[in-house]
Amino acid sequence: MRSAVKIFNEICHRKLNVAVAGIPKTVDNDIGIIDRSFGFQTAVEMAQQPINAAHVEAESAVNGIGLVKLMGRSTGHIPLHATLSSRDVDCCLIPENEFYLEGKGGLFEFLDARLKENGHAVLVVAEGAGQDMIPRTDAQKEERDESGNPVFLDVGGWLKSELKKWWARDHPDELFTVKYIDPTYMIRAVPANATDNLYCTLLVHSAIHGVMAGYTGFVCGPINGNYAYIPISTFYKIMGRSHQL
């Protein structure tokens, strides 16, 4: 959308008869005012496969834990919906809710109880969860990606290491297994399912109708169940603060 704003402004400057229309796109479904972005349903559906695999691996081992890291930098919609859809997940960690490892009510206490009760557990974590708990060097604290966002460390790998340290400390003579699965690119690099295909078609048709009606510099998206046209510059500003809405 940042690029679309620049293109729109340049077209206006040159007074060209070119329309610019945008469609909100993110599989994370984390745009505050938009009901749903396309790709989200497909991502949730595909996330079931690694969760099922983690459950099988955990159930097949003594004191086994299946750990799955799913997409979600600032919001945990994919991990949350995948967890609710699965029925096999014991704990889901998302950026919206802080968590801690040690002490009463901590993650270790919860997993200890689940392992004693069931002999295995499945843990799903969003990529943005617990980032403030992972040790970083000064250089890592300042690192940014191409879009200017802070570079996240691998919370799954860190959590796997912490789980092993905890078990070795508190249960030194008992077997323990952690199976870590990171299916990020398996989820991203798949064809859209039928629901997302239909939804994207409706978005595109609505955008074309707006252009043919003479509008430009807008974003088409569903708000409260209705397809609305939002000025593209306004929408870009909203996206910039959407994680705080």
Side-chain angles (χ1 to χ4, degrees), residues 215-229:
Y215 294 100
T216 184
F218 67 88
V219 174
C220 174
I223 300 177
N224 296 327
N226 298 312
Y227 286 89
Y229 298 103

Side-chain angles (χ1 to χ4, degrees), residues 178-201:
V178 181
K179 300 293 187 180
Y180 173 41
I181 301 175
D182 179 0
T184 300
Y185 293 103
M186 292 175 61
I187 292 175
R188 288 171 60 92
V190 297
N193 64 13
T195 300
D196 273 326
N197 266 327
L198 174 60
Y199 182 51
C200 191
T201 300

Side-chain angles (χ1 to χ4, degrees), residues 50-88:
I51 290 176
N52 292 340
H55 180 247
V56 170
E57 290 291 336
E59 198 174 29
S60 302
V62 177
N63 293 321
I65 290 183
L67 174 60
V68 181
K69 184 182 76 172
L70 296 177
M71 293 175 289
R73 287 181 58 89
S74 300
T75 58
H77 294 298
I78 292 177
L80 179 61
H81 282 76
T83 292
L84 294 174
S85 302
S86 170
R87 304 288 191 267
D88 288 329

Side-chain angles (χ1 to χ4, degrees), residues 13 53 59 69-70 76 88 93 101 105 115 129 131 139 151-152 154 161 167 183 185-186 190 198 204 212 217 232:
H13 176 70
E59 198 174 29
K69 184 182 76 172
L70 296 177
D88 288 329
L93 305 175
L101 302 179
L115 291 175
Q131 287 294 320
V151 174
F152 283 176
D154 182 7
S161 176
W167 194 265
Y185 293 103
M186 292 175 61
V190 297
L198 174 60
V204 173
M212 297 303 291
I232 198 166

Side-chain angles (χ1 to χ4, degrees), residues 51 54-55 58 64-68 88-91 111 120-124:
I51 290 176
H55 180 247
I65 290 183
L67 174 60
V68 181
D88 288 329
V89 179
D90 296 283
C91 182
L111 290 176
H120 67 277
V122 176
L123 176 61
V124 169

